[in-house]
Amino acid sequence: MLPVRVRFAPSPTGPFHIGGARSALFNWLYARRYGGVFIVRIEDTDLERSSRESEENILAALRWLGLDWDEGVEVGGPNGPYRQTERLELYQRCAEQLLRQKDAYRCYCTEAELAAEREALLARGALSGYSGRCRDLSPEDCARLEAEGRKPAIRFRVPDQDAIVVRDLVRGEVSFDCSDIGDFIILKSDGIPTYNFAVVVDDHSMSVSHVIRAEEHLSNTPRQILLFNALGWETPQFAHVSLILGKDRSKMSKRHGATAIEQYQEKGYLPEALVNFLALLGWSTGGEEEVFSLDELIQQFSLERVSKSPAIFDLDKLNWLNGHYIRQAPIEYITDLSIPFLEKAGYLTTPLAPERYEWLKEVVALVRKYLVCLEDLKDHVGIYFSEKVEILEDEAGEALAGSHVPALFAALERLVRDCPALSADAAKALLKAAGKEAGVKGKQIFIPVRAALTGSIEGPDLDKIMAILGKEKVAGRLAGALARDSS
Ligand code: GLU
């Protein structure tokens, strides 16, 4: 087997989509699985729509997902530059080779002429194509047209052959009728290559062994194979990965969930969860398992197990995975990731003093089981940060109205104020002791105390809540609830 050299070749024309990230991941996994090279090349030949901002955004997202690259933009390598607009000379040279071989010709048709021709062809029922008007121009014709000020594009002369077969590692053999492919432009009159040409020149010059990309490019592949053949180059192996559909089986769109990776990042999805989720968009081990670390994915990924059928984007599954990773990850890691979300919600300002950080870890450890993504933190941590608690739930109000509550709270408040340090263990003992004094136990203790401290009758372990709140806040809230009760 050839050394594995794969590439991710995004066009930096907008937000980095789930589908692009999935292609990047499959290439990366394939490279890592087989000890190959992962290349990142920027296909920025659409001058109007490409931007550096979008490129930076894509690269940052790749890094965030943990998909490092061995060759490419920013990291360099022996086959650079890795931005197509910096490789124009190479495309020019290859186009000249095709011109010399008569596999390409100069085309002087203007946009307006081509548009009129397309209309005429359409009227005759032809789907697309080019009439071949410039196919056999003599050098004199060319000179005359150039004298008119026309700048030629270079068009590939599609050979007379019946069919082109794409041997695809995912889809098997797919045959395309050559007569459907008209002579196509490879280099525009401004010297910018078209996608199909640049991709072939680059995949060859970067010794790409496998082209793993989205299914939407399958129909471009016959053109690319014709170019590989004409240039006398070996074709890489192709693997076209299925479209991503929403749960209702229509094309994935904003309706089914955010489509840009950045949006998931902003909501506090973990890169581990997203990578795990993306890996399952069109690939599976065949077993039931759904949770895979990056290392496990590297060990198990194979193109044979990439499915031909569309991948279904299931946001519930992503949410479940994200919750899972939030609960399982080391607490320092989740705490560090939480800080910007808490800052944004106005609960924190950084830098944090070491004790405050330790305290924050306890808070995050306590609430993380309730989170789908880190953005949800703001709905669960208010009681630990604010001075006062609001009793919003009716049930909490009812719990505080019990006749035993004043005695219980008075005892607990005193015990809390007297205790040297309010650890969770100490809190447990104090709750019991206060209950004993007031002659109540179990729920009769926990529900009203929880209501007074959190405003709710449900939530994390009460003893841990008390330890996090600390003596002052616990005592203050018990006293506050009593005052509210008597008012
Ligand atoms: N620039 C193309 C895209 O973003 C890449 C196609 C390919 O991988 O060949 O869709």
Side-chain angles (χ1 to χ4, degrees):
M1 189 165 146
L2 280 173
V4 166
R5 291 181 56 85
V6 290
R7 85 305 191 269
F8 175 55
S11 302
T13 53
F16 186 35
H17 281 151
I18 291 281
R22 194 251 325 241
S23 295
L25 174 64
F26 281 18
N27 278 286
W28 185 89
L29 287 173
Y30 198 67
R32 295 296 171 257
R33 166 92 204 253
Y34 294 103
V37 169
F38 178 53
I39 305 166
V40 172
R41 174 174 85 218
I42 299 293
E43 304 207 327
D44 57 349
T45 53
D46 184 340
L47 303 183
E48 255 165 46
R49 293 176 57 230
S50 298
S51 74
R52 273 301 166 97
E53 189 195 346
S54 160
E55 177 185 318
E56 273 155 26
N57 197 286
I58 293 169
L59 298 180
L62 288 176
R63 289 200 170 97
W64 178 70
L65 290 169
L67 309 182
D68 55 335
W69 55 102
D70 313 297
E71 276 181 38
V73 276
E74 293 190 354
V75 305
N79 305 291
Y82 291 91
R83 217 173 263 117
Q84 289 186 327
T85 50
E86 294 166 15
R87 301 168 61 80
L88 299 182
E89 245 174 76
L90 178 62
Y91 310 125
Q92 185 72 42
R93 274 210 306 280
C94 295
E96 275 159 17
Q97 178 189 335
L98 290 174
L99 283 172
R100 276 197 303 279
Q101 294 172 192
K102 305 258 181 292
D103 284 316
Y105 56 89
R106 293 195 170 79
C107 170
Y108 293 87
C109 298
T110 61
E111 273 304 319
E113 284 165 348
L114 290 172
E117 183 180 299
R118 253 192 310 272
E119 228 168 84
L121 281 171
L122 271 178
R124 272 189 273 132
L127 287 178
S128 62
Y130 171 63
S131 67
R133 190 152 37 144
C134 296
R135 248 191 171 204
D136 299 304
L137 294 178
S138 65
E140 295 74 39
D141 292 332
C142 293
R144 180 176 44 77
L145 290 162
E146 270 170 45
E148 282 177 22
R150 295 185 187 229
K151 282 191 85 184
I154 298 178
R155 224 177 244 283
F156 182 68
R157 191 188 302 270
V158 173
D160 275 337
Q161 71 182 73
D162 296 336
I164 302 165
V165 176
V166 178
R167 288 186 179 76
D168 191 276
L169 293 171
V170 174
R171 330 195 87 77
E173 294 198 349
V174 189
S175 181
F176 290 86
D177 191 343
C178 227
S179 59
D180 289 342
I181 306 175
D183 291 353
F184 55 92
I185 291 181
I186 54 174
L187 207 62
K188 294 187 274 180
S189 58
D190 57 3
I192 303 290
T194 55
Y195 157 69
N196 279 315
F197 186 51
V199 88
V200 166
V201 172
D202 288 351
D203 284 343
H204 171 75
S205 88
M206 295 177 188
S207 307
V208 168
S209 60
H210 297 75
V211 168
I212 306 168
R213 64 185 169 199
E215 186 184 353
E216 65 197 12
H217 288 296
L218 182 64
S219 59
N220 287 317
T221 311
R223 285 180 183 77
Q224 295 173 17
I225 291 177
L226 288 174
L227 287 166
F228 275 109
N229 292 345
L231 288 157
W233 297 337
E234 207 176 313
T235 48
Q237 305 221 53
F238 293 102
H240 286 92
V241 185
S242 305
L243 290 179
I244 302 175
L245 303 182
K247 258 184 165 174
D248 58 1
R249 302 190 82 80
S250 66
K251 196 164 185 265
M252 169 75 190
S253 73
K254 293 199 178 104
R255 221 157 26 91
H256 304 108
T259 53
I261 294 294
E262 205 178 17
Q263 288 168 286
Y264 289 97
Q265 198 176 354
E266 277 166 12
K267 282 182 195 284
Y269 283 84
L270 266 51
E272 294 82 350
L274 213 50
V275 159
N276 190 151
F277 176 72
L278 291 170
L280 298 175
L281 282 177
W283 171 84
S284 72
T285 56
E288 296 288 294
E289 212 184 322
E290 304 223 84
V291 179
F292 298 95
S293 68
L294 211 48
D295 281 342
E296 287 165 338
L297 289 172
I298 293 172
Q299 278 158 28
Q300 300 193 38
F301 186 77
S302 77
L303 288 173
E304 286 86 62
R305 297 223 54 93
V306 170
S307 164
K308 260 199 270 196
S309 16
I312 306 296
F313 182 93
D314 180 353
L315 187 59
D316 294 334
K317 185 154 141 187
L318 172 59
N319 286 342
W320 176 80
L321 277 170
N322 205 50
H324 171 83
Y325 280 97
I326 288 178
R327 288 188 297 278
Q328 300 296 315
I331 190 63
E332 279 82 9
Y333 176 67
I334 297 298
T335 305
D336 292 346
L337 293 181
S338 299
I339 290 172
F341 289 89
L342 295 172
E343 255 189 308
K344 192 168 166 217
Y347 288 124
L348 281 183
T349 46
T350 50
L352 294 180
E355 319 79 70
R356 185 75 167 154
Y357 180 77
E358 288 306 312
W359 175 82
L360 185 63
K361 254 167 53 182
E362 304 283 327
V363 175
V364 174
L366 198 57
V367 300
R368 66 169 157 176
K369 65 178 173 204
Y370 301 102
L371 310 179
V372 167
C373 52
L374 296 176
E375 197 187 49
D376 298 344
L377 270 167
K378 64 176 183 321
D379 306 325
H380 295 274
V381 299
I383 53 160
Y384 307 103
F385 289 92
S386 51
E387 284 312 313
K388 285 216 170 94
V389 62
E390 271 184 87
I391 314 289
L392 293 172
E393 287 177 22
D394 287 351
E395 284 145 316
E398 273 165 37
L400 291 174
S403 58
H404 65 287
V405 169
L408 174 70
F409 281 16
L412 187 58
E413 188 194 336
R414 177 177 36 77
L415 290 168
V416 164
R417 286 202 193 277
D418 289 350
C419 98
L422 191 58
S423 65
D425 281 345
K428 206 179 262 176
L430 299 186
L431 284 164
K432 211 165 170 190
K436 209 164 180 186
E437 274 190 40
V440 288
K441 26 182 196 190
K443 281 185 181 174
Q444 287 180 298
I445 309 173
F446 303 128
I447 295 184
V449 173
R450 180 185 291 284
L453 299 184
T454 71
S456 168
I457 60 162
E458 280 169 351
D461 296 341
L462 188 55
D463 47 352
K464 292 187 182 146
I465 294 177
M466 288 171 71
I468 289 175
L469 288 174
K471 282 171 62 169
E472 283 310 313
K473 276 192 178 154
V474 171
R477 285 182 194 181
L478 290 170
L482 278 184
R484 171 188 181 273
D485 219 31
S486 56
S487 64

